[in-house]
């Protein structure tokens, strides 16, 4: 079978050591931002090293439906954008990509009418969009939705801009979506963020992208207010997608809990991605990691100690870091992580249940997750990936350091963000057995 295209379960074999060098996959989050900004330009932009994940491909399909021309070139895509004029009357399918659909819903306000539907009704279809829809209504868009969830129909095309408020309690993606829209509105956007702000790092990635594409703005230090003059144009001849810290966090944890030495190339020490903090968290736990240029070297097998950290600073690395907590002395707690309940699955309750199947003591509150580590875990069980790429990474990490193999149901969903995950681990010495699933 081909694990890159077919549905499969996977059995993870315990690993005695991991050793070697790989290059970090391209950032999913920056790929989304760079491709969108390139499409919002009326000129050509070469986007080098875009991610090849399912989320990236879903975005590319939607941008092409709106009129962008994407042509492979060298190690990237040359994008001829549609500027401020996406095609009207399109039915867009964002797959299971939360950031993609939110960014596109905001941009669809530039068209007369766009409808968004997804086949992932039990995942993306359940994720809230209401805060973004409310903000677009403030700007004059006419929207139709059942309970603030997909499917959504947006009627825009006549928006002038002005002031708008958006809650950042559930996700920073709503604010990022509006920031991409604002410069293209005739009167610009004076955006006020309300509530407890989530994922500051992701907002700063959006602002850095706007700056890269020549967009002017003024932002308060706390990011509560961002002012974007209207009538601007996105312009950048070439951008390169950096390495992906959220996915790489799983590789770094694997290199920490399993003896050996791995080198992960393509990660910058000063990256704006919040999940860069994975390196600091693992060091605090007792791991040995070092930077040399764009290479992180990890020496595995050292004893680990539990930590308590604000997980909102590195939301997409919390699952992977649970893999380190599982083998650390003491109880690790990830606080302020309520938004994990609003992802592809409930990453608090579902994680607790799967880790308990594996023999771990795990507890939760509404906005925290605590894992008490053990020196070893027996393995020999089957666990559920819940259709969630981050959950699959976590369970794989446990399997690499368990005493007996574990099997993960629905492991093909890893392709949502990290299609080369299993191949990268195999290059470092891990072993997997793939079990093809019969078509439904």
């Amino acid at each position: 079978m081909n694990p890159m295209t077919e549905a499969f379960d996977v059995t993870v074999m315990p690993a005695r050591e991991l050793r070697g060098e790989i290059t970090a996959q391209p950032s999913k989050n920056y790929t989304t931002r760079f491709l969108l900004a390139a499409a919002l330009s009326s000129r050509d932009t070469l986007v080098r090293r875009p991610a090849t994940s399912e989320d990236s491909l879903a975005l590319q399909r939607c941008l092409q439906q709106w009129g962008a021309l994407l042509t492979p070139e060298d190690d990237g895509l040359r994008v001829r954008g549609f500027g401020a004029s996406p095609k009207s009357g399109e039915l867009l399918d964002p797959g299971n990509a939360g950031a993609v659909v939110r960014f596109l819903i905001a941009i669809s306000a530039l068209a007369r009418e766009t409808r968004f539907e997804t086949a992932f009704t039990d995942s993306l279809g359940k994720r809230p969009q209401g805060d973004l829809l409310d903000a677009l209504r403030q700007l004059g868009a006419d929207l139709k939705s059942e309970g603030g969830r997909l499917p959504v129909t947006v009627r825009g095309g006549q928006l002038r801009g002005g002031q708008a408020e958006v809650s950042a309690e559930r996700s920073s993606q709503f604010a990022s979506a509006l920031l991409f829209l604002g410069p293209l509105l005739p009167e610009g956007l004076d955006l006020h963020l309300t509530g407890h702000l989530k994922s500051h790092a992701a907002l700063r990635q959006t602002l850095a992208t706007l700056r890269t594409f020549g967009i002017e703005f003024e932002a308060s230090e706390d990011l509560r207010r961002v002012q974007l003059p209207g009538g601007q144009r996105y312009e950048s001849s070439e951008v390169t997608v950096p390495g992906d810290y959220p996915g790489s966090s799983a590789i770094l944890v694997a290199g920490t809990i399993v003896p050996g030495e791995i080198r992960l190339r393509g990660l910058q020490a000063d990256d704006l991605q919040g999940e860069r903090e994975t390196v600091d968290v693992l060091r605090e736990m007792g791991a040995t990691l070092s930077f040399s240029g764009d290479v992180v070297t990890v020496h595995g097998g050292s004893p680990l100690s539990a930590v308590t950290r604000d997980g909102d600073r590195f939301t997409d690395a919390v699952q992977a870091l649970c893999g380190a907590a599982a083998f650390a002395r003491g109880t690790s707690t990830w606080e302020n992580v309520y938004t994990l309940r609003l992802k592809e699955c409930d990453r608090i309750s579902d994680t607790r249940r799967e880790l308990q199947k594996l023999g771990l003591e795990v507890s939760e509150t509404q906005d925290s997750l605590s894992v008490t580590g053990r020196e070893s875990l027996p393995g020999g069980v089957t666990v559920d990936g819940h259709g969630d790429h981050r959950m699959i990474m976590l369970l794989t990490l446990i399997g690499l350091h368990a005493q007996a193999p574990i099997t993960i149901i629905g492991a093909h969903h890893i392709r949502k963000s990290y299609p080369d995950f299993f191949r990268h681990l195999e290059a470092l010495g891990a072993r997997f057995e793939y079990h093809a699933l019969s078509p439904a």
Side-chain angles (χ1 to χ4, degrees):
M1 63 156 289
N2 184 350
M4 298 299 290
T5 58
E6 297 180 47
F8 65 94
D9 300 336
V10 69
T11 298
V12 184
M13 305 298 177
R16 292 187 176 182
E17 73 167 18
L18 296 176
R19 190 172 298 276
E21 179 175 304
I22 59 174
T23 298
Q25 71 157 357
S27 166
K28 178 172 79 80
N29 293 337
Y30 270 110
T31 293
T32 301
R33 286 162 171 78
F34 285 177
L35 287 177
L36 178 60
L40 294 175
S41 172
S42 56
R43 299 186 178 182
D44 283 12
T45 306
L46 179 59
V47 180
R48 294 190 178 276
R49 295 193 72 242
T52 58
S53 61
E54 290 179 344
D55 281 13
S56 174
L57 296 177
L59 173 61
Q60 291 175 41
R61 289 194 302 270
C62 292
L63 296 178
Q64 288 172 318
Q65 281 185 248
W66 263 349
L69 180 63
L70 280 64
T71 307
E73 181 176 320
D74 297 331
D75 61 348
L77 289 171
R78 181 164 293 280
V79 181
R80 177 166 296 176
F82 43 74
S85 302
K87 289 172 60 178
S88 189
E90 294 298 313
L91 171 61
L92 300 185
D93 177 2
N96 197 22
V100 168
V101 72
R102 288 163 176 170
F103 292 0
L104 295 182
I105 284 174
I107 298 303
S108 70
L110 299 171
R112 290 190 307 277
E113 182 170 325
T114 309
R115 183 170 174 82
F116 297 87
E117 295 182 358
T118 179
F120 293 87
T121 54
D122 290 332
S123 184
L124 183 60
K126 291 183 177 179
R127 297 176 70 175
Q129 316 297 340
D131 293 331
L132 174 60
L133 303 184
D134 289 343
L136 290 172
R137 288 190 180 99
Q138 294 170 38
L139 293 169
D142 178 19
L143 302 109
K144 181 179 179 181
S145 169
E146 291 287 339
R149 290 172 169 78
L150 295 182
V152 171
T153 300
V154 181
R155 295 184 181 92
Q158 302 296 322
L159 274 65
R160 301 295 302 171
Q163 290 189 357
E165 288 187 354
V166 66
S167 172
E169 283 277 358
R170 295 177 183 236
S171 175
S172 68
Q173 292 171 356
F174 303 138
S176 284
L178 294 164
L179 292 176
F180 279 111
L181 170 66
L184 300 176
L185 298 175
E187 298 176 8
L189 178 64
D190 185 358
L191 182 63
H192 295 253
L193 277 62
T194 64
H196 181 66
L197 270 64
K198 300 294 184 182
S199 304
H200 284 72
L203 281 173
R204 296 192 188 281
Q205 290 171 40
T206 298
L207 293 174
T209 300
L210 296 181
R211 187 177 293 111
T212 296
F213 279 80
I215 298 298
E216 297 180 358
F217 60 85
E218 291 185 7
S220 63
E221 186 174 347
D222 62 1
L223 301 183
R224 288 282 181 180
R225 183 181 184 186
V226 184
Q227 296 170 287
L228 303 110
Q232 298 190 66
R233 294 183 178 181
Y234 284 82
E235 291 185 4
S236 183
S237 60
E238 183 177 314
V239 291
T240 299
V241 177
D244 184 72
Y245 265 105
S248 295
S249 64
I251 302 296
L252 296 176
V253 170
T256 294
I257 63 178
V258 178
E261 178 183 300
I262 69 170
R263 294 178 301 280
L264 190 54
R265 184 175 296 278
L267 296 177
Q268 301 295 331
D270 59 352
D271 200 292
L272 286 174
Q273 297 174 69
E275 289 73 19
R276 154 67 180 80
E277 198 165 333
T278 296
V279 175
D280 302 325
V281 176
L282 290 175
R283 282 174 172 163
E284 184 180 343
M285 297 180 80
T288 303
L289 300 91
S290 60
F291 271 100
S292 178
D294 71 343
V295 178
V296 182
T297 300
V298 186
H299 297 274
S302 299
L304 302 176
S305 298
V307 296
T308 296
R309 297 290 290 259
D310 181 348
D312 183 59
R313 297 162 61 96
F314 44 86
T315 309
D316 283 341
V318 168
Q319 300 298 100
L321 287 167
C322 284
F327 300 103
R329 183 175 60 254
T331 300
S332 295
T333 298
W334 316 113
E335 300 175 331
N336 191 25
V337 292
Y338 172 77
T339 57
L340 290 180
R341 295 190 182 276
L342 307 175
K343 302 295 184 177
E344 284 79 355
C345 70
D346 183 336
R347 290 182 183 166
I348 295 180
S349 292
D350 291 336
T351 296
R352 174 184 56 78
R353 284 189 283 267
E354 297 308 317
L355 293 184
Q356 286 174 338
K357 290 179 188 177
L358 288 158
L360 285 160
E361 180 182 335
V362 188
S363 61
E364 64 175 278
T365 68
Q366 184 71 356
D367 64 353
S368 73
L369 180 65
S370 297
V371 180
T372 300
R374 291 179 50 175
E375 184 175 344
S376 64
L377 289 171
V381 299
T382 296
V383 288
D384 190 344
H386 291 271
D388 189 324
H389 52 129
R390 306 283 177 212
M391 180 77 80
I392 295 162
M393 293 181 204
L394 163 59
L395 298 175
T396 301
L397 297 175
I398 301 294
L400 291 173
H401 200 43
Q403 299 301 304
I406 72 167
T407 296
I408 304 170
I409 296 173
H412 56 281
H413 291 288
I414 195 69
R415 295 193 292 260
K416 183 180 189 299
S417 71
Y418 198 163
D420 288 324
F421 179 67
F422 293 113
R423 288 185 175 181
H424 279 179
L425 286 171
E426 285 172 333
L428 298 172
R431 293 186 302 115
F432 305 103
E433 290 182 359
Y434 304 96
H435 315 287
L437 302 182
S438 301

